Amino acid sequence: MITSKTSFIALIGNPVSHSLSPIMQNAALQYLGLDLIYIAIPCENENLELILNSLKKINCKGLNITIPHKQKVFDLCKEISPIANKLKAINTLKLNHKKEWSGTNTDVEGFIYPLRTLNFTKGQAMVLGSGGAARSVIQGLIDLNFTMISVVSRNKSSLDELIKNFSNQIEIKGLLSNDFQAQNLIEDADLIVNTTPVGMKKTTYEINVMPYGETFWRSLKSKTIVYDLIYNPAPTPLLKFCAKKGCMTIDGLQMLVAQGMKSLSFWTNGLEVPFHIMNDALKKYL
Ligand code: NAP
């Protein structure tokens, strides 16, 4: 029951109306019996500082930060975790004992959760896309002791920057999406992760698109696990295609739930949050 003692956690971004976080977080808060609710607050760029400063003063117990504020929020935090610094993105905040914002990033833990559940570590991986999510994925693959990573992108400048960022930590190679060498790497990959938004639910004419087109996937072997970060639709056209080829597939819903689970644990100083409660709430909703 919401009473005059109930406090809140919020998602700050723009837009936020499509977000699934309130569904899974409120299910978890209720299950854990915490006197907290989770709400989504739309926030324009120019209001970010004002809103974050105001939330400090009104008993807010934590925040999730989403597009387009994941970088801008750095300037408003007094403490930043090593992982958020490394990824150059913050997705979770809480107030420290001095009532100042402390920021971290739970995307890496979210990404590796389904792979750890499968006991899947080491091997060769291919990452598609070179944006923000690719950064978390590459860090996750390094944490899981993968031996070699290739990154395929259509964007040379973000690709070069990404490779430069991680090249002192792992054997990592960047390829443009029209590079013929990608075929050999697809054939050898133990894991392929799509971090491009291609296949996301949008308009009907885009329904069957796959990253870099269907011919890009011609050398895919059934031994490869294919992981798509997109969670709507689940499965995506890519995952349907790969499942038909006999590959094991992982959709983005597990990552979404696991990063939310880690955020809730951060806000509650390490409380164990059951994955299935949040996952079931989303499955029921979608
Ligand atoms: P981002 O920073 O915008 O990066 C997207 C990447 O995909 C860029 O390299 C971009 O290249 C590339 N790309 C975009 N459209 C493309 C196209 N039509 N063909 C080929 N490449 C294309 O976005 P992000 O934050 O990394 O997010 C990427 C996806 O991951 C989104 O679908 C997001 O919903 C999903 N995601 C899911 C979770 C989860 O919890 N499951 C978490 C994070 C992200 P350009 O630079 O050339 O545009």
Side-chain angles (χ1 to χ4, degrees):
M1 194 202 309
I2 297 176
T3 69
S4 48
K5 292 193 187 90
T6 306
S7 184
F8 69 101
I9 293 167
L11 168 70
I12 305 286
N14 193 24
V16 287
S17 57
H18 65 287
S19 172
L20 297 175
S21 293
I23 307 296
M24 62 178 183
Q25 294 291 359
N26 281 312
L29 293 170
Q30 198 173 0
Y31 176 84
L32 293 167
L34 299 172
D35 196 7
L36 282 167
I37 57 163
Y38 185 104
I39 56 169
I41 302 178
C43 168
E44 303 280 350
N45 262 320
E46 61 270 27
N47 295 330
L48 184 66
E49 186 168 357
L50 173 71
I51 290 183
L52 256 65
N53 284 336
S54 308
L55 288 170
K56 274 188 206 170
K57 312 225 182 267
I58 56 169
N59 203 23
C60 173
K61 298 296 184 211
L63 296 174
N64 273 141
I65 304 293
T66 188
I67 288 167
H69 305 312
K70 284 184 173 187
Q71 282 81 34
K72 212 178 162 203
V73 87
F74 269 79
D75 296 338
L76 303 169
C77 289
K78 277 280 182 301
E79 283 171 18
I80 296 163
S81 71
I83 190 69
N85 261 324
K86 205 164 177 184
L87 298 174
K88 300 185 177 83
I90 289 173
N91 76 342
T92 309
L93 298 183
K94 70 174 174 186
L95 290 172
N96 65 15
H97 63 284
K98 289 184 183 154
K99 296 269 176 208
E100 297 289 355
W101 291 117
S102 165
T104 191
N105 192 308
T106 62
D107 279 341
V108 174
E109 289 177 282
F111 166 69
I112 64 181
Y113 183 87
L115 297 172
R116 277 212 203 283
T117 308
L118 290 171
N119 231 340
F120 185 40
T121 57
K122 304 194 182 123
Q124 292 191 27
M126 177 182 272
V127 177
L128 311 181
S130 52
R135 221 166 255 280
S136 302
V137 166
I138 293 169
Q139 187 57 53
L141 295 171
I142 293 171
D143 294 353
L144 290 173
N145 294 321
F146 271 72
T147 45
M148 214 277 269
I149 301 173
S150 51
V151 185
V152 181
S153 175
R154 66 177 185 180
N155 184 328
K156 184 159 170 27
S157 69
S158 64
L159 179 64
D160 289 348
E161 205 196 318
L162 199 64
I163 300 301
K164 202 170 118 200
N165 240 266
F166 288 100
S167 57
N168 60 349
Q169 291 180 67
I170 191 165
E171 189 184 341
I172 185 164
K173 189 183 171 87
L175 294 109
L176 284 172
S177 47
N178 55 5
D179 190 323
F180 68 93
Q181 283 187 63
Q183 291 308 313
N184 297 337
L185 291 164
I186 290 181
E187 206 172 321
D188 292 341
D190 300 296
L191 174 72
I192 301 180
V193 186
N194 175 40
T195 78
T196 79
V198 181
M200 251 168 96
K201 196 172 187 175
K202 275 193 203 146
T203 47
T204 42
Y205 72 89
E206 285 178 292
I207 262 171
N208 283 316
V209 290
M210 293 186 17
Y212 312 130
E214 198 170 318
T215 50
F216 178 84
W217 296 89
R218 61 184 177 270
S219 57
L220 180 72
K221 296 277 176 292
S222 62
K223 60 152 188 155
T224 306
I225 297 185
V226 183
Y227 187 163
D228 198 334
L229 260 49
I230 296 168
Y231 49 81
N232 192 13
T236 54
L238 170 65
L239 292 191
K240 281 188 190 161
F241 172 90
C242 296
K244 267 195 202 148
K245 282 223 169 188
C247 301
M248 180 188 274
T249 62
I250 304 171
D251 65 48
L253 209 62
Q254 291 191 57
M255 173 175 174
L256 179 75
V257 173
Q259 60 79 30
M261 188 173 87
K262 298 294 172 184
S263 292
L264 185 46
S265 186
F266 180 70
W267 297 319
T268 55
N269 300 321
L271 214 61
E272 286 276 319
V273 183
F275 178 91
H276 72 275
I277 296 295
M278 300 173 91
N279 196 46
D280 289 354
L282 283 189
K283 288 229 154 119
K284 212 164 162 189
Y285 177 79
L286 286 170

